[in-house]
Amino acid sequence: MNLDFSQITPYIPFMLEGIWVTLKFVVVALLFGSILGTLLALFKIGTVKPLNWIAIVYTSIFRGTPLILQLMIFYFAIPQLTGYDISPFLAAILAFGLNSAAYISEIIRAGIQAVDKGQTEAALALGVPYRQMMIDIILPQAFKNILPALMNEVITLTKESALVSTISVLDLMRRAQVVGSDLYRSFEPLLFVGFIYWAMVFVLSAIGKVIERRLKVSDQS
Amino acid sequence: MIKVEKLTKKFGKNEVLRGISTEIAKGEVVSIIGPSGSGKSTFLRCLNVLETPTTGNIIVENQNLTDSKTPIHKMRQQIGMVFQHFHLFPHLTVLENLTYAPMKAKGVKKQVAVENARELLKKVGLSEKESAYPSSLSGGQKQRVAIARALAMEPELMLFDEPTSALDPEMVKEVLDVMKDLAKSGMTMVVVTHEMGFAREVADRILFLDHGVLLEEGKPAEFFTQPKTARAKEFLDKIL
């Protein structure tokens, strides 16, 4: 055992900057994924057959292949195909955004379909138009079903974001590797960023729990 | 007020309604009874097109509901419906359950909708529950709120789909009492029920359905004492 954390002290600011890179990446990918995922979910529950199929095939492709493969395709294969020199950050956003859209669309679809069918019938019987019913009655209830699974997806995305280090985005993970090769010591920087990942996930889970508790108000008397 | 002409409904190959024709007049209270699987609920749900009829016509106030050009959601605003399992909106308070549809579907001003809702809650005896959420109510209270919610749209006609079947026995009376008051006030009502006491006492006419056919109809006094068909006699012998 020759652990010496004092050696990484000068590198701490450099590694902490990685938090910002990772967070920026997660937030943008998640926004992109949520918007596309909601759209796909609506395609899936709708009655327009071609849209059903598009959403189903899309989900099947992005859930059926490794994320790292999708990442490599966007970073290495697209420039070869189009000649456009894509930045690592953009390639990463595209791969992660499109990938999480597939998962999020399933989460949202399941959440909407889990709302009791009687709710739709009650709203329709009162003469509420379909769109209005979706917005006021179905989606607020679906959101409660969706939230835990969506929080899970956010946490997964945060951790999986470390994959972008393979295409030299300077995120937390990549920075730990840089420090490691600089010092010829891997354990300390890896442990350090490991702690940061854990802390980020811890905070995210806590936020999720608070929101969930707020939404539960109507469940109790 | 409602005219049903040769109504049929198939679910796949299963023929649930086989050509039902009848008319319901304004202010009439009609009870639909029959064995389970006879198509009572499906018939009722066709009246506001929650189930789309396979063939036949349903004409409410001179508008044919089976015509795709009829604005269904406008027509449904005139037809209140009460379900076996209440289907209150769980994320809204009791008062909001009552004001939601008048405000959002009919464009009633909030102040007017709230006033109306309070009046109705008073009528069903639940004034003190206006800010409670449905999950804190008993079954009987939920159903009374559901009736008030339907009445808040000021419908011309009320449909009841086994409104007391999901209730504990001691709560049946409070719901039936509300329905009796409603019948007395002159509301047109179509009630699918297993409560023979209610059918006998309140209904103006009984429709007896069996295997998707309207087998017999008549005044309760005649139907319950001298049923014309063997099938109705057999049914009554089993339940009375």
Side-chain angles (χ1 to χ4, degrees):
Chain A
M1 283 284 266
N2 63 340
L3 280 181
D4 183 0
F5 280 94
S6 65
Q7 293 224 25
I8 63 163
T9 322
Y11 294 95
I12 284 179
F14 171 73
M15 287 194 283
L16 287 180
E17 258 175 69
I19 297 180
W20 174 234
V21 177
T22 293
L23 275 182
K24 198 165 75 176
F25 166 74
V26 168
V27 168
V28 178
L30 202 70
L31 268 179
F32 178 35
S34 303
I35 293 167
L36 186 60
T38 310
L39 202 67
L40 286 167
L42 292 176
F43 282 8
K44 282 177 193 170
I45 59 166
T47 48
V48 187
K49 278 276 170 266
L51 295 182
N52 287 165
W53 280 108
I54 289 173
I56 289 167
V57 170
Y58 179 97
T59 306
S60 167
I61 292 172
F62 278 91
R63 289 206 306 183
T65 55
L67 179 52
I68 193 160
L69 174 85
Q70 295 162 21
L71 189 63
M72 296 290 155
I73 285 179
F74 278 103
Y75 188 56
F76 296 116
I78 283 187
Q80 178 197 332
L81 211 64
T82 62
Y84 173 66
D85 187 18
I86 196 166
S87 75
F89 190 74
L90 184 60
I93 294 284
L94 276 175
F96 274 74
L98 293 174
N99 182 273
S100 78
Y103 285 93
I104 289 174
S105 74
E106 275 302 287
I107 292 170
I108 294 178
R109 180 196 58 78
I112 290 174
Q113 287 179 343
V115 175
D116 181 10
K117 230 181 131 227
Q119 293 290 308
T120 308
E121 293 191 344
L124 290 180
L126 283 164
V128 180
Y130 183 83
R131 227 180 76 95
Q132 197 82 48
M133 169 194 82
M134 268 316 220
I135 294 170
D136 297 329
I137 303 296
I138 306 301
L139 290 180
Q141 293 184 59
F143 190 65
K144 226 190 273 188
N145 305 332
I146 290 168
L147 196 78
L150 202 60
M151 218 50 217
N152 228 352
E153 174 65 17
V154 175
I155 288 169
T156 306
L157 191 71
T158 307
K159 290 185 297 177
E160 295 286 292
S161 74
L163 276 181
V164 301
S165 62
T166 59
I167 59 168
S168 68
V169 172
L170 266 178
D171 72 328
L172 268 174
M173 183 69 196
R174 180 79 188 141
R175 282 168 197 253
Q177 290 168 343
V178 170
V179 174
S181 55
D182 222 27
L183 285 174
Y184 297 107
R185 310 178 73 93
S186 282
F187 196 85
E188 293 89 344
L190 286 176
L191 204 66
F192 182 73
V193 297
F195 173 75
I196 294 177
Y197 276 116
W198 174 82
M200 284 178 8
V201 169
F202 184 84
V203 171
L204 283 174
S205 313
I207 294 173
K209 279 203 186 106
V210 169
I211 303 177
E212 239 174 276
R213 212 173 309 135
R214 287 234 175 122
L215 287 176
K216 278 213 177 111
V217 178
S218 62
D219 288 350
Q220 304 301 324
S221 43
Chain B
M1 161 150 212
I2 312 183
K3 199 170 172 189
V4 180
E5 294 174 341
K6 294 181 188 148
L7 175 65
T8 71
K9 175 69 187 176
K10 281 185 196 170
F11 291 109
K13 278 188 180 154
N14 187 13
E15 206 173 0
V16 183
L17 300 177
R18 313 168 187 232
I20 294 183
S21 301
T22 189
E23 258 181 79
I24 295 162
K26 199 164 181 61
E28 200 178 10
V29 177
V30 174
S31 250
I32 304 175
I33 63 176
S36 63
S38 57
K40 310 181 292 284
S41 284
T42 307
F43 174 72
L44 192 77
R45 291 161 58 84
C46 280
L47 295 183
N48 67 349
V49 211
L50 278 185
E51 303 290 354
T52 312
T54 307
T55 62
N57 295 316
I58 292 160
I59 296 150
V60 177
E61 306 257 317
N62 298 322
Q63 293 251 37
N64 192 346
L65 296 191
T66 50
D67 186 344
S68 59
K69 283 184 218 111
T70 307
I72 289 298
H73 75 264
K74 286 270 178 238
M75 290 306 294
R76 282 181 180 142
Q77 293 175 8
Q78 303 174 31
I79 309 173
M81 184 156 192
V82 175
F83 300 88
Q84 183 178 358
H85 295 288
F86 333 122
H87 301 324
L88 294 177
F89 304 131
H91 60 304
L92 303 180
T93 63
V94 165
L95 191 73
E96 287 163 351
N97 262 280
L98 266 65
T99 56
Y100 170 71
M103 281 164 59
K104 289 298 173 80
K106 259 172 58 175
V108 174
K109 287 225 168 56
K110 183 170 181 189
Q111 203 192 333
V112 179
V114 168
E115 244 168 65
N116 247 332
R118 292 209 167 113
E119 190 107 338
L120 284 166
L121 284 178
K122 204 162 124 195
K123 236 182 229 170
V124 300
L126 288 169
S127 289
E128 77 284 10
K129 294 286 185 188
E130 70 166 61
S131 43
Y133 283 97
S135 58
S136 68
L137 303 179
S138 73
Q141 291 172 331
K142 281 182 192 167
Q143 197 59 300
R144 284 187 280 154
V145 172
I147 294 171
R149 176 178 69 175
L151 290 174
M153 289 298 283
E154 299 176 330
E156 302 283 326
L157 159 74
M158 286 283 285
L159 309 177
F160 293 84
D161 190 3
E162 303 195 22
T164 57
S165 298
L167 298 177
D168 290 338
E170 77 267 24
M171 290 170 184
V172 169
K173 189 175 174 294
E174 60 188 76
V175 171
L176 290 182
D177 284 347
V178 169
M179 290 170 62
K180 278 177 200 167
D181 286 346
L182 194 59
K184 267 184 223 151
S185 76
M187 175 64 76
T188 314
M189 292 164 66
V190 183
V191 186
V192 171
T193 187
H194 293 293
E195 292 294 327
M196 294 305 144
F198 175 85
R200 195 173 207 161
E201 188 186 336
V202 182
D204 300 311
R205 187 155 50 109
I206 305 287
L207 303 184
F208 178 71
L209 259 62
D210 188 40
H211 288 107
V213 178
L214 177 53
L215 216 54
E216 190 169 337
E217 60 182 309
K219 293 213 177 309
E222 292 163 21
F223 176 80
F224 283 106
T225 50
Q226 306 157 312
K228 282 174 259 171
T229 56
R231 192 70 192 86
K233 194 170 180 317
E234 191 186 328
F235 173 74
L236 290 173
D237 282 345
K238 267 185 208 155
I239 55 161
L240 291 179

